[in-house]
Amino acid sequence: MFTILSAGSGSNLPKVIWRVEVLNSKSQSKDGNGEITKVTWRIQNFSSFKKDQMLRSENISVDGNKWRIDVYPKGNNVDHLSIFLTAADSATLPSGWTRFAQYGLAVIDQTDRRNSIARVLTYEFNARDSSWGYPSFLALNELEDPKRGYLINDACLVEAYISTDRTDGLISHELMLETDSDKHETKENQTTMKIESAIEPEEPTDQDIDTFFSGLESKLLNSKIVVSQEEAKEALAKLDEAMNMTPVDFYNSGKFSPLKQSFKILASFKYSSTTLTLEQKNELLAMQESLKEVADRAAKAVEDKKHLSEMESMKLTITNNLDRNLVRYKEVESEVRLVDQKLAAFQQHVEETQKEKEKMLDERNGIFRSSKRMKVELEALEKKWAKYEAKAEVAEKEEKAVEAEWERMKDFISSLKGKI
């Protein structure tokens, strides 16, 4: 069993209980040490908070990285409780930093832990997105509903599960809501949070609460109750309302625990004209067992689909970071080359000037050689020019003679057309 420490005074934070545990899940880990840091934060005087007021936890060290939990009890510009995980030391980290975390956030139903609201995330934190979570984690009207167990004695219980292990599914709803921490191999890391006044009395553990209410539930279920027809109708109406929800909406509504009493009422109901058959009672009992399981499966399916979207977001973030690194790498390479050019500027200038001179000399010599060759060809052409002119004159006379002969033959052929 874990010890809860709370001491100190002088802080303007509400009275809290603050506990940090390290759970060891090496058997499930495929890509890390399997350690999960569990943080339990009990926030009292909850109604005293104002809208948009933020509460920051103390820093939490996970594998040498500093984290904290940011909670807006009355919402961050929304009518929901808002909760985020934040890289606590982001302002002091070097440019281009990234930090992976697989984490779960939960608001605990203190009357039935199984009805707690829990969300699981994986995210690659960076300088631009150093805080990531849920602006609309739990609607305030649900949170403050006296029929629910989220606020007991004006206190809200928040839990966070944080790991740098990249094993898919290491942190799950089952771990957060149903697994008893005392059954894990753990090493405890205790810390304190300052409070306003005297030391708080030790709170009962989750195991104590679960054991008490499980025993109470069993006792009530086994007791004989006389059910009126009105009670049966009301119970049936509650079940009908639940069945008209989608499985995921039912999972998020937290209405499973109240429905247990409805199942019990209907199974116990006896009336002269409407007594349920044995098969119907058995069906009700079986439905009570399977209803939560079906809703859990639906919620897990939705969460798994969301997980792909989160992975795509993480992939996009990593890709963008790589793009920025590549751009900066090319900039640095260019700067290095510029420095090298400046260091060797004089020597390079001399070498380039010498090469330019040699190139111009080669071009000059080439021009001389080609001009000399063309001059010789011109002189030879001029010597034969009179011969070429005489030959052209004879060719012109021959061309005229050929044309005259051609016309004669053409006329002869034409004269034959009228005789044949």
Side-chain angles (χ1 to χ4, degrees), residues 148-267:
R148 312 294 284 276
Y150 302 125
L151 281 178
I152 301 295
N153 297 326
D154 202 24
C156 178
L157 191 62
V158 174
E159 290 183 354
Y161 296 71
I162 310 167
S163 179
T164 58
D165 193 311
R166 293 180 179 267
T167 302
D168 188 31
L170 184 69
I171 298 176
S172 64
H173 287 80
E174 180 182 5
L175 173 72
M176 297 172 67
L177 304 184
E178 298 180 8
T179 304
D180 184 353
S181 298
D182 290 339
K183 294 180 181 178
H184 279 270
E185 178 187 348
T186 64
K187 56 182 181 180
E188 190 168 5
N189 175 20
Q190 298 174 340
T191 185
T192 62
M193 171 72 83
K194 292 181 180 180
I195 60 175
E196 288 182 336
S197 56
I199 297 177
E200 290 285 316
E202 184 171 309
E203 294 288 331
T205 66
D206 294 338
Q207 184 183 18
D208 294 337
I209 294 172
D210 287 343
T211 301
F212 171 79
F213 282 105
S214 295
L216 180 60
E217 179 182 30
S218 177
K219 182 177 180 180
L220 292 175
L221 286 174
N222 292 327
S223 63
K224 294 183 179 180
I225 300 176
V226 178
V227 178
S228 70
Q229 189 172 18
E230 290 302 318
E231 288 176 316
K233 287 181 178 180
E234 184 180 352
L236 184 60
K238 289 181 179 178
L239 289 175
D240 185 58
E241 179 187 2
M243 290 297 97
N244 284 322
M245 296 181 181
T246 67
V248 175
D249 287 342
F250 175 73
Y251 175 88
N252 291 328
S253 71
K255 291 184 177 181
F256 178 69
S257 183
L259 286 184
K260 290 181 180 180
Q261 183 66 12
S262 297
F263 279 111
K264 177 186 174 184
I265 289 172
L266 288 178

Side-chain angles (χ1 to χ4, degrees), residues 96-98 123-126 128-129 166 310-328:
W97 68 271
T98 61
Y123 196 68
E124 194 82 28
F125 291 76
N126 54 69
R128 186 171 56 184
D129 295 322
R166 293 180 179 267
E310 292 161 3
M311 291 301 99
E312 289 175 345
S313 176
M314 183 173 70
K315 178 181 177 182
L316 178 61
T317 299
I318 295 173
T319 302
N320 291 339
N321 288 339
L322 285 174
D323 287 340
R324 287 195 292 270
N325 285 350
L326 180 59
V327 170
R328 182 55 187 156

Side-chain angles (χ1 to χ4, degrees), residues 13 18-20 37 39 41 56-62 64-70 85-90 92 99 162 189-193:
L13 295 176
W18 176 261
R19 180 176 64 197
V20 179
T37 298
V39 179
W41 188 5
R56 291 182 174 180
S57 75
E58 289 192 354
N59 290 348
I60 311 149
S61 179
V62 180
N65 296 323
K66 293 180 180 180
W67 302 93
R68 72 168 188 267
I69 305 167
D70 294 342
L85 180 67
T86 300
D89 53 350
S90 61
T92 63
R99 178 184 296 176
I162 310 167
N189 175 20
Q190 298 174 340
T191 185
T192 62
M193 171 72 83

Side-chain angles (χ1 to χ4, degrees), residues 392-419:
E393 185 178 349
V394 171
E396 186 176 356
K397 292 177 180 181
E398 179 66 15
E399 184 180 15
K400 290 179 179 180
V402 168
E403 288 178 356
E405 180 64 19
W406 187 266
E407 286 298 323
R408 188 190 67 77
M409 290 188 291
K410 178 180 177 183
D411 292 340
F412 177 75
I413 295 298
S414 295
S415 67
L416 294 179
K417 292 181 181 178
K419 297 178 180 182

